[in-house]
Amino acid sequence: MKAFAGLRSATGTGPRFALLMVLVVVSSIPTLDELLQSVPALLGLRDGREALHGPSGCLYAAGFDPGSSDPQNLLTALTRPGTLYQCIGDHTLVPYRGALATVVLLALAAGLYWWLPAARERWRRMLPLEAVDLDGTLRAELAALCARTGIRARLRFRVDPARTTSGASVHGRSGNYTVCLHSGLLPRLRTDPAGFRAVVLHELAHVHHRDVDYAYASTALWRAYVLLALIPTFAETGWVLALGLSGVKSPWWPGGAAMLLAPALVGLVLAALVHLARADLLRRRELFADRRAVAWGADAASWQRPDPTGPVAPWLRRLTALLGTHPQWAERRRALVDAGRLDRVSALAMFLTGVSAALLYQSLMTLPVLSEGPGSIWITVGAVTPVLCLALGLPLLRGSRTADGHGPSATVAGLWLGLGLLLGQFVASTQYRLDWMLPQPQYLLAFLLIAAVPAVWWSQSLRLALALPRRGHRWAAAACCAAVTAAVLWAGLGWWRVAGDSLSLGIGDQGAELAAYYARTVPGDWHGYGPDLSAFATGLMVLTPLGGDLLAGIATLSLWLVPLALVLLPGVRRTVGGPTGTVLRLRLRLRRTLGAGLAGALVCGMGLVLAQVAMNQSRPATPKEPAGPFVLVHMWWVTVTVLAACLLTAVVVAAGARRHWLLRALIAAQVVQLLAYAEVFVLFSVDGCLGPLNTAFDVCRWRPGNGLIIDGTVTSLTLVNAVLGSACAALVGAGLAWAVRRLRGRPPAHEAAVPVPSPADRPPSTLLKAGTLLALGLPAVVLAAMTFTQAAASDDSRQWQEAADAVRKQRGPAPPAHTPQTRAWQAASWLNAGGTLRAQQINAASIALDSELLKAAAGKRNADGTVALDEQAFHRRCGTLGQRVEEARAYFPVPDRDLQRNWSGALDQLHRGVTDCQEATVPPKGAPHRTDAEREHLFTTSLNEIVNAMRTFGTAVLDIKQAATSPPK
C-alpha cells in the first residue's frame, strides 16, 4: 500500500517538469552550435562561401537552391538519397562546440540553482526566528505543525521584514529548505491562528510534494538558456534581418527569409511555451498544496479571500491568469470544494506537452548521433508517454468518477496533445523550409489522430486492467498497456517521419511518374490508368512506411489482442459497479462486437465482387495480351476494398457503442480483416471458375498459389495499416455520433444510463472464452509471423514504394539554379563534398595503370619484338579503375546539366574501356571464346579508349572547377 499511497500524494507534475528541462537542454546544443558557427561569419551572407563545407555543402552539391521551392529541393535531394546521407555523415562532426557550450550552460544553471536560495536570503535580509520570537511561542507553534505533517527534510524558518503581507514562501534545494514568513503573517498567530496554520501548512505541503526542487531547477536552467542562447539568437536574427532590409544581394534574400528568420520564431515559441508550461505547473502545485494543507487540518475558511478586481475585461483577466504562477482565490476554492477537479486532464497541459514533444523531436534530429534511425523518436516517446499515462491514469488510480475511460476526457486530452504536436511541428519545420507555408498543410491534421488514438486506448484499456483481482496482475497489465501506448505513439511519429512529412511538402502525387516507370518495366497497355496510378502513388506513401516494421506489427496486434485477453481472462471479478462492472458489461456486449465484425466481412465480400465487376471492363480481351497493368491495378483496388471494409466497420461500431467504443471497434475490425484475407484467398484461388468475374484465367481450376500471391501482397499492405486505420476511423465515428447526439439533445454516451446486467446474464464459460481468444488471436499471430518473416526476406511490402524511388533516381541533375552565384556555390560544394576526391581517385587509378604499362614496356622483349604482359596485374589495375568509375557514377550528378553531360559521358567512356580491358586480360566465365589476336586487339582498343576518356574526363573536371571559381555576374 505504500506505493499506492505515494501515487495518491503525487502531483503528477514531475514528468512535465522533466520534459521541459530535457527540451531546454537538447535545444541548446544545436542553437549554441549554430551561434558559434554563424556569429563569426555573419558577413558571409554577402558571399556564403563559408557554408560550402560540411552538411550545408552536401545540400548544395545535391542541387539545393535557396531560390527554389521546398518540393523541388526535396525531390532533388531524393535523387541520390543514400549519397546525401553518407555525405552528411562524413562531413558532420560531433557538435563539440554546441555540446561544450551546453556544458557551460548547465554549469551556469547548476550554479544558479545552488546559489539562488542563499542569494535570496541575503538580498531580502531575512531574520532568524530568534530575532522576532522573544517568548518562543512562534517556534513552538511551527514545531507542532512540522510534527503534524511528519516532514523529515531539513527545515529552517526565516522572517522577511520587508514584506508586510500575510503570506509565506519556501525555497531551497536537495532536502534543505527554508520557509520564509512574511512580517505581516506573524500577528495572525494571535489574531487568526487558523489562518496562520493554513499558510504554514500550505508551504510545508510544497516540501512534502518535493516540487520546490523542480521549480528552482527549471527556473535556473531557463534563465541560463535565455542568457546564453535565446538573447544571442534574437540578436543574430535581428542582424540578418537588418542586412536583408539594407539591400544586400544574396540568393538567400528574400527567397530564404523564412529559413533565416526561423530561429527567432522557434525561440519565441519556446519562450512562450516554457513560460506557459512553468506557470501552469506552478499553479497546479499550488492547488495540490492547498489540498494537502486541508488534509493536514487547515481551516478551509482561510481560503475565503476576494480576488483583486479592476477595470479589466473578463477575457483579458482570464488570459493574464494563464501567465500567472499562482491561481486566483476563486479557482483555489473550487479546487478544494470539487474533489475531482485536480483529477481532470488539463487541455492546456496536454497542448503544451505536444508542443514540447515536437520541438524536442526536431532538436534531437539535428544531432548527428540521432539524425538517422529511430533514436530521436524513442527519446521523444519516452518523454511524452509518462506525462500522458500519468495525466490519464492517476485519476483512475485515485478512483475518480470523472475519468472512467468512457467519457470525452481522454479523447479531448489526446486531441489537445495532437494539436500541440501539430503547432510544434509547423513552427519547428520553418528551420528547414524556404516557403512560409507548407504546400499541403492539411496532412498536419494527422497529428490529431496520432495523439488521440494512444490516449483513448490507454484510458480504456487501463480501466480493464484495474478490474483484475490481484494487485500484481493489475500492475503487470497496466505496465503492458503503457508499453503498447508508447509503441503506438512511436508508430504514429515514425509514420510522420517517413511519409507524412513528405506528403505535407507536396511530393505525394507521382501518378505520371509511376505510369512512365511501369510502362517501361511492366508489359501491357497502361493507357487509361492515370487516375488509378495517381491514387496508387499517394496511397503507397501512406501505407508502406509501417507495412514491414516488426515493432509496429507487434503494437497493432496488441491494440486489439490485449483488451480481448483482459475481457476474456479467467478470474476477473464479476461484481457490478466500478471498473469490474465495466468489464462485465463489455463481456456481455462482445457478441454484438463479433456480430458487427461478421457483418463487416460480408460487406467486404460484396465489395470485392463489385471490384471484380468494375475491373472486368478493362480486362484484356484475349489471354495472349499482357495483363500486367490490369492485375497490378486490380490488386491495388482489392487492397483498398479490404481497408475500406475495416474502416467502415470501425466507424459504425464506435458510433453505436456506449462504452469502450475504441476497443470494441478494434476487435470488430480485426474480425473483418481476418475474414477478408480468407475471402481474397478463395476469390483468387478459384480464378477462372467465376465466369465474368475472372481476373487472369479462363480455365476453371483450383489455384491456391495464385491466391497466396495476391493475399500475401494485400496482407503486407494492410496487416498493420488496417488496425491503425480502424483506430483512427473509430475516433471519427465516435466524434460524429457525439455531434449527432448533441444536435438532437441526447446525453453523451458516457452520461447515458447503462443497464445493469441481470443475474440471468451469466458470463460465458471458460471453454467458450478460450475458444474465442484462440480463434481470433492464433490466426492473427501466425499470419503476422509469416508476413514479417517474408517481408524480412524479400521486402515485398516496400516494392511499390521502391518503384517510386526508382523514378526519382532517374530524374538526373537538378534544374538550373536561379542565380549565377548559386550555380557557383553548387559547383564548389560538389567539388568539396566529394567530387574532387573522386576525380583524384580516378586519376590515381589511371596513373597506376600507366605505371603498369611502363613497367611492361621496360621488360625483356621477345624475339619478335613483343612484350609479355602480366594479365592478372592489368586485370587488377583496370578493375580498380572501374571501381573508382562506379563510385563516381554513384555520386551526385553535377548541379549543371551541361557539365553533367560531359562528366557522365567521360565516365561512360571510361567504363567501356575498363570493361574491355578486363575482358581482354581475363575473359569472364561463359563469355564467347576469343583468339589471342582478338584479345590483343581488344586490349589495345581498350587502352586507347581509356586514354581518350581520361582526356575528356580532365576537361570535364576543369570545366567544373572553372564554374565553381567564376565570380557571380
Side-chain angles (χ1 to χ4, degrees):
M1 295 299 295
K2 292 182 179 180
F4 185 72
L7 283 173
R8 291 182 61 87
S9 64
T11 63
T13 57
R16 290 184 59 199
F17 269 118
L19 175 60
L20 275 181
M21 296 172 70
V22 170
L23 171 62
V24 172
V25 172
V26 173
S27 299
S28 65
I29 298 177
T31 301
L32 294 174
D33 187 66
E34 180 66 23
L35 284 173
L36 294 176
Q37 289 186 36
S38 58
V39 169
L42 276 177
L43 294 179
L45 184 65
R46 301 181 183 272
D47 182 18
R49 294 278 171 173
E50 75 283 346
L52 304 185
H53 300 273
S56 299
C58 294
L59 293 175
Y60 282 123
F64 174 80
D65 182 6
S68 183
S69 63
D70 289 321
Q72 183 59 52
N73 280 322
L74 181 58
L75 291 174
T76 300
L78 291 176
T79 302
R80 296 285 193 274
T83 305
L84 180 60
Y85 293 148
Q86 182 180 1
C87 176
I88 293 177
D90 293 341
H91 291 82
T92 300
L93 300 176
V94 176
Y96 62 92
R97 287 172 296 193
L100 291 178
T102 303
V103 171
V104 175
L105 184 146
L106 291 176
L108 177 61
L112 289 175
Y113 172 73
W114 191 265
W115 173 74
L116 276 177
R120 182 176 180 178
E121 291 190 24
R122 295 176 184 176
W123 183 27
R124 303 296 304 179
R125 297 181 180 179
M126 298 181 184
L127 303 176
L129 288 181
E130 292 79 6
V132 295
D133 184 24
L134 301 179
D135 57 358
T137 305
L138 178 60
R139 281 172 289 176
E141 181 67 26
L142 294 176
L145 293 176
C146 291
R148 180 190 301 182
T149 60
I151 295 177
R152 299 181 181 180
R154 295 179 58 187
L155 282 175
R156 295 186 305 169
F157 289 91
R158 293 289 187 269
V159 177
D160 188 348
R163 293 194 174 183
T164 59
T165 59
S166 60
S169 62
V170 59
H171 58 272
R173 61 180 185 274
S174 305
N176 189 7
Y177 305 103
T178 299
V179 178
C180 174
L181 307 178
H182 299 177
S183 60
L185 178 66
L186 302 183
R188 294 186 65 183
L189 179 59
R190 294 179 175 83
T191 61
D192 183 14
F196 176 87
R197 297 187 186 100
V199 172
V200 176
L201 288 175
H202 173 88
E203 302 304 327
L204 295 180
H206 285 305
V207 179
H208 174 77
H209 290 157
R210 299 180 180 179
D211 54 25
V212 181
D213 296 282
Y214 288 129
Y216 263 80
S218 61
T219 301
L221 182 61
W222 178 242
R223 290 178 179 177
Y225 180 82
V226 169
L227 181 64
L228 295 183
L230 200 57
I231 294 178
T233 298
F234 289 154
E236 178 198 8
T237 305
W239 177 248
V240 171
L241 182 61
L243 287 177
L245 296 178
S246 65
V248 172
K249 293 183 179 180
S250 171
W252 281 92
W253 191 269
M259 188 178 294
L260 293 176
L261 303 180
L265 177 61
V266 174
L268 288 173
V269 172
L270 184 61
L273 164 69
V274 173
H275 182 79
L276 287 174
R278 287 187 65 253
D280 181 62
L281 288 169
L282 294 177
R283 289 196 305 272
R284 188 172 179 82
R285 73 167 191 156
E286 294 295 333
L287 299 178
F288 274 100
D290 290 343
R291 174 188 288 184
R292 175 56 57 183
V294 172
W296 281 337
D299 187 4
S302 302
W303 276 262
Q304 297 295 330
R305 299 185 183 183
D307 288 312
T309 59
V312 180
W315 65 268
L316 184 58
R317 188 180 298 111
R318 289 192 296 268
L319 181 61
T320 55
L322 297 177
L323 304 177
T325 58
H326 280 70
Q328 297 179 350
W329 287 106
E331 182 180 359
R332 299 174 79 163
R333 289 191 295 272
R334 287 194 296 267
L336 290 177
V337 174
D338 187 357
R341 187 176 186 84
L342 293 181
D343 293 336
R344 300 189 185 104
V345 182
S346 170
L348 178 63
M350 289 293 98
F351 174 75
L352 296 176
T353 300
V355 179
S356 302
L359 296 179
L360 175 62
Y361 170 72
Q362 291 293 344
S363 298
L364 291 170
M365 285 293 294
T366 62
L367 304 181
V369 293
L370 297 174
S371 59
E372 298 181 16
S376 56
I377 299 180
W378 273 122
I379 295 176
T380 304
V381 170
V384 174
T385 302
V387 178
L388 180 65
C389 291
L390 285 176
L392 298 175
L394 280 178
L396 285 175
L397 292 175
R398 291 169 177 151
S400 173
R401 295 182 180 180
T402 62
D404 58 358
H406 308 304
S409 58
T411 307
V412 172
L415 291 176
W416 277 106
L417 178 65
L419 187 61
L421 287 171
L422 186 155
L423 178 62
Q425 170 64 27
F426 177 79
V427 172
S429 62
T430 57
Q431 301 177 95
Y432 317 103
R433 293 203 321 262
L434 295 171
D435 301 330
W436 289 100
M437 180 60 69
L438 287 168
Q440 301 290 336
Q442 65 271 16
Y443 286 101
L444 288 171
L445 296 176
F447 280 111
L448 300 180
L449 301 176
I450 290 173
V453 168
V456 176
W457 189 90
W458 160 255
S459 180
Q460 295 185 2
S461 62
L462 179 63
R463 190 162 183 83
L464 296 181
L466 295 179
L468 296 177
R470 297 183 180 180
R471 179 184 174 189
H473 293 170
R474 293 196 296 271
W475 283 107
C480 178
C481 292
V484 175
T485 302
V488 175
L489 184 59
W490 172 87
L493 295 178
W495 176 87
W496 176 261
R497 178 182 179 182
V498 177
D501 204 3
S502 300
L503 289 169
S504 66
L505 288 173
I507 66 170
D509 188 5
Q510 301 168 0
E513 297 177 349
L514 280 176
Y517 174 80
Y518 283 117
R520 293 191 301 270
T521 57
V522 179
D525 183 13
W526 284 96
H527 179 72
Y529 288 109
D532 301 88
L533 286 175
S534 181
F536 185 32
T538 305
L540 288 180
M541 291 195 68
V542 175
L543 298 179
T544 52
L546 299 177
D549 193 279
L550 180 59
L551 181 59
I554 296 175
T556 51
L557 272 177
S558 304
L559 272 178
W560 64 271
L561 199 53
V562 169
L564 184 64
L566 290 175
V567 170
L568 300 178
L569 196 65
V572 175
R573 294 176 294 180
R574 298 186 178 90
T575 57
V576 177
T580 54
T582 302
V583 174
L584 179 57
R585 288 193 293 268
L586 180 57
R587 177 178 295 146
L588 293 177
R589 286 172 172 78
L590 189 57
R591 295 178 181 177
R592 301 181 185 178
T593 303
L594 297 178
L598 294 176
L602 180 61
V603 172
C604 180
M606 297 172 60
L608 292 173
V609 173
L610 290 177
Q612 294 279 80
V613 174
M615 291 299 299
N616 190 52
Q617 299 177 358
S618 58
R619 185 171 180 257
T622 62
K624 295 182 179 180
E625 294 184 23
F630 170 76
V631 173
L632 191 61
V633 174
H634 188 197
M635 189 184 307
W636 165 247
W637 288 116
V638 168
T639 303
V640 171
T641 302
V642 173
L643 284 173
C646 295
L647 269 59
L648 179 62
T649 303
V651 168
V652 173
V653 172
R658 293 285 184 175
R659 303 277 171 168
H660 291 99
W661 47 267
L662 178 60
L663 305 183
R664 294 181 61 186
L666 287 171
I667 295 173
Q670 182 61 28
V671 174
V672 177
Q673 189 175 352
L674 293 176
L675 294 179
Y677 294 153
E679 292 170 350
V680 171
F681 173 75
V682 173
L683 188 64
F684 284 90
S685 295
V686 298
D687 191 18
C689 305
L690 302 177
L693 300 181
N694 292 334
T695 302
F697 303 98
D698 290 323
V699 178
C700 184
R701 186 186 305 168
W702 174 250
R703 296 180 176 89
N706 184 51
L708 288 176
I709 292 174
I710 304 298
D711 214 3
T713 303
V714 174
T715 303
S716 64
L717 288 173
T718 59
L719 184 65
V720 172
N721 295 290
V723 179
L724 296 178
S726 299
C728 298
L731 286 172
V732 175
L736 293 175
W738 177 85
V740 171
R741 294 189 190 102
R742 286 291 184 182
L743 291 176
R744 299 179 63 179
R746 294 183 179 182
H750 69 287
E751 298 175 0
V754 178
V756 178
S758 63
D761 295 330
R762 296 182 179 180
S765 64
T766 303
L767 182 61
L768 183 58
K769 291 186 294 184
T772 304
L773 187 60
L774 288 176
L776 292 177
L778 186 59
V781 172
V782 173
L783 186 62
M786 294 174 60
T787 301
F788 287 106
T789 302
Q790 182 181 3
S794 61
D795 204 17
D796 288 338
S797 63
R798 299 183 183 271
Q799 58 182 350
W800 288 341
Q801 183 64 42
E802 291 174 357
D805 294 339
V807 172
R808 288 195 295 264
K809 292 180 181 179
Q810 296 173 4
R811 289 176 181 270
H818 287 73
T819 63
Q821 190 177 29
T822 302
R823 289 194 289 270
W825 288 358
Q826 290 175 346
S829 298
W830 187 90
L831 292 171
N832 296 335
T836 300
L837 175 62
R838 284 160 176 80
Q840 292 173 349
Q841 290 175 341
I842 290 177
N843 286 328
S846 177
I847 292 173
L849 180 60
D850 293 341
S851 300
E852 193 67 33
L853 283 171
L854 294 175
K855 178 181 177 182
K860 185 178 180 180
R861 296 182 177 273
N862 299 326
D864 56 357
T866 61
V867 179
L869 300 178
D870 186 352
E871 296 181 353
Q872 293 292 338
F874 277 96
H875 187 272
R876 288 195 301 271
R877 297 298 183 187
C878 290
T880 302
L881 180 57
Q883 182 180 358
R884 300 307 183 193
V885 170
E886 290 296 333
E887 293 174 356
R889 295 172 75 178
Y891 184 56
F892 298 119
V894 183
D896 185 280
R897 291 179 177 176
D898 294 334
L899 297 177
Q900 168 62 20
R901 188 182 303 110
N902 299 335
W903 168 266
S904 61
L907 293 179
D908 293 341
Q909 189 176 1
L910 274 174
H911 184 265
R912 290 192 300 268
V914 296
T915 301
D916 292 342
C917 173
Q918 288 186 295
E919 292 181 358
T921 52
V922 180
K925 294 182 180 180
H929 176 71
R930 287 191 178 97
T931 63
D932 291 342
E934 291 175 340
R935 290 176 57 195
E936 182 179 347
H937 176 72
L938 181 62
F939 180 71
T940 304
T941 303
S942 67
L943 292 181
N944 293 331
E945 190 167 14
I946 290 173
V947 171
N948 295 330
M950 287 303 300
R951 292 196 187 99
T952 306
F953 179 77
T955 303
V957 174
L958 289 176
D959 291 341
I960 298 172
K961 290 182 178 179
Q962 183 179 1
T965 56
S966 60
K969 298 180 181 180

